Amino acid sequence: MGILRLAHIDVRTPDLDLSAAYYTEVMGLQQVMRTDDTVYFKCWDEEDHHSLRMRYNPRTGLDSFTFRVESEDDLHDFEKRVEAYGCPTTRVSRGDAVGQGESLRFEVPSGQIMELVWDLEKTGNILGKHNPSPVPPPDLAGIAPPRMDHMLVNAEEVAEASRFFIDVLGMRLTEQVLDGNGHQLGVWLAGRTNSPHDIAIVNGPNGALHHWAYWLDDWDHIRKAADTLAYNGVQIDQGPTRHGVTRGNTIYFFDPLGIRNEVFTGGYWVDPDHEIITWTEQEFGKGLFYYENVISQRFLRMHT
Ligand code: M3P
Ligand code: FE
């Protein structure tokens, strides 16, 4: 049993048209469905119905984030484990959410609503399964990442949140930042992927979303993404640069409503028994942005 990977992120936007224009034309996602108050998006190489849901609400914010579990029976096992930890759970029935079957919902110790699901509607990527082209059409708009990669949430008590993800959900710690007293300020956690992180948790207000990231295939695509962002007048937060933590290449930027996005590539592969990498608070500038060696206050304090 286990947590496989990030499946979708559900957020609120006060301007659905502006968000839809940005996520299709600048980020270059496929808009898969639109109702009166909700838009669903996916990347060109994603098989599931959607990876991003945006619904209208006067206040920007995170509704929930959803991870896929490895097998159908896992929902039952996780229900018992999460309840035993002391977090009440609810079941969302098939038919109650677009693009998926039954799911399990609960509030994690850092206050975000998390959902686990196995049954995702498989609508396929844009290449198809019949003599597929290895690349998407050259005329896709915007950055056009192939898939969503990871997300980062804030927690007042990083160690408590981290223990929940490790002990209850079975995720694996790959890297951590410790303060001078040995307390965790940030943790990077992997599911059943070989990625250095599927979710990270960094000190900040409970319930907050720091960013989510899209995967790009190489550093040259990060450079092209920076050109696309600058051309479209998007506010860049940091980069293009490299993280010391995860070793990934990155740019952070803000969508038109102020939600932070990241594009990410590189990193390394981890086995399940990979030894944890530890950063000290003094060296965390390099961990965050290896070339600049800065801890920007905007980066640490701005969140959704
Ligand atoms: C990443 C990453 C913070 C660190 C962020 C790191 C917010 O986003 O992908 O490794 O301190
Ligand atoms: Fe990130």
Side-chain angles (χ1 to χ4, degrees), residues 94-106:
R94 156 172 286 285
D96 284 349
V98 169
Q100 66 184 38
E102 188 166 41
S103 68
L104 183 71
R105 291 185 143 237
F106 47 87

Side-chain angles (χ1 to χ4, degrees), residues 150 152 188 197 202 210-211 243 246 252 262 284 288 299:
H150 69 266
L152 193 150
W188 282 255
H197 65 330
V202 169
H210 186 274
H211 68 270
H243 291 301
T246 74
Y252 290 100
E262 179 184 10
F284 187 48
L288 206 47
F299 185 74

Side-chain angles (χ1 to χ4, degrees), residues 22-294:
Y22 165 85
Y23 281 100
T24 54
E25 288 161 31
V26 181
M27 189 63 87
L29 306 185
Q30 315 281 307
Q31 182 174 314
V32 292
M33 185 174 163
R34 181 162 181 161
T35 66
D36 283 350
D37 68 347
T38 308
V39 190
Y40 298 84
F41 307 93
K42 72 188 284 182
C43 299
W44 64 262
D45 202 19
E46 288 174 337
E47 301 285 336
D48 308 334
H49 179 271
H50 64 274
S51 54
L52 176 63
R53 187 191 86 171
M54 302 197 90
R55 81 179 167 91
Y56 170 76
N57 188 274
R59 282 193 62 183
T60 306
L62 176 68
D63 273 338
S64 59
F65 63 94
T66 301
F67 272 75
R68 189 173 193 217
V69 296
E70 227 167 356
S71 80
E72 201 162 11
D73 297 335
D74 286 356
L75 281 194
H76 177 68
D77 295 335
F78 278 121
E79 186 171 37
K80 286 196 295 199
R81 293 170 69 133
V82 172
E83 293 269 350
Y85 180 86
C87 296
T89 64
T90 54
R91 288 267 184 164
V92 182
S93 309
R94 156 172 286 285
D96 284 349
V98 169
Q100 66 184 38
E102 188 166 41
S103 68
L104 183 71
R105 291 185 143 237
F106 47 87
E107 189 179 313
V108 298
S110 49
Q112 293 85 3
I113 302 297
M114 181 170 187
E115 183 181 54
L116 298 179
V117 71
W118 174 78
D119 181 11
L120 293 167
E121 188 185 333
K122 295 287 180 187
T123 51
N125 67 10
I126 67 169
L127 308 174
K129 297 289 178 282
H130 189 72
N131 304 325
S133 152
V135 290
D139 56 356
L140 286 186
I143 297 171
R147 63 179 171 80
M148 197 179 258
D149 187 71
H150 69 266
M151 69 183 303
L152 193 150
V153 294
N154 292 116
E156 280 162 27
E157 300 293 340
V158 172
E160 182 194 21
S162 164
R163 268 198 306 276
F164 179 81
F165 279 89
I166 294 166
D167 296 348
V168 181
L169 301 183
M171 293 184 81
R172 295 174 282 117
L173 182 64
T174 58
E175 303 207 24
Q176 62 180 349
V177 190
L178 300 183
D179 72 11
N181 298 317
H183 297 135
Q184 286 175 328
L185 297 174
V187 292
W188 282 255
L189 299 161
R192 285 289 181 271
T193 58
N194 295 101
S195 153
H197 65 330
D198 293 301
I199 189 167
I201 307 168
V202 169
N203 185 244
N206 274 358
L209 168 71
H210 186 274
H211 68 270
W212 71 83
Y214 291 101
W215 176 263
L216 292 178
D217 284 330
D218 67 47
W219 167 240
D220 192 48
H221 296 183
I222 301 273
R223 177 191 62 77
K224 270 178 75 180
D227 287 338
T228 303
L229 294 168
Y231 184 84
N232 286 285
V234 172
Q235 192 199 343
I236 291 180
D237 186 19
Q238 193 85 32
T241 184
R242 183 202 274 280
H243 291 301
V245 178
T246 74
R247 303 183 211 150
N249 291 114
T250 177
I251 315 173
Y252 290 100
F253 44 102
F254 294 103
D255 86 359
L257 283 313
I259 299 177
R260 187 185 286 97
N261 298 152
E262 179 184 10
V263 286
F264 180 94
T265 192
Y268 50 80
W269 275 46
V270 288
D271 268 3
D273 57 355
H274 178 82
E275 194 178 334
I276 297 161
I277 294 172
T278 298
W279 294 80
T280 57
E281 193 174 0
Q282 294 91 316
E283 293 298 313
F284 187 48
K286 283 187 194 166
L288 206 47
F289 298 120
Y290 186 59
Y291 304 142
E292 298 90 333
N293 189 9
V294 290

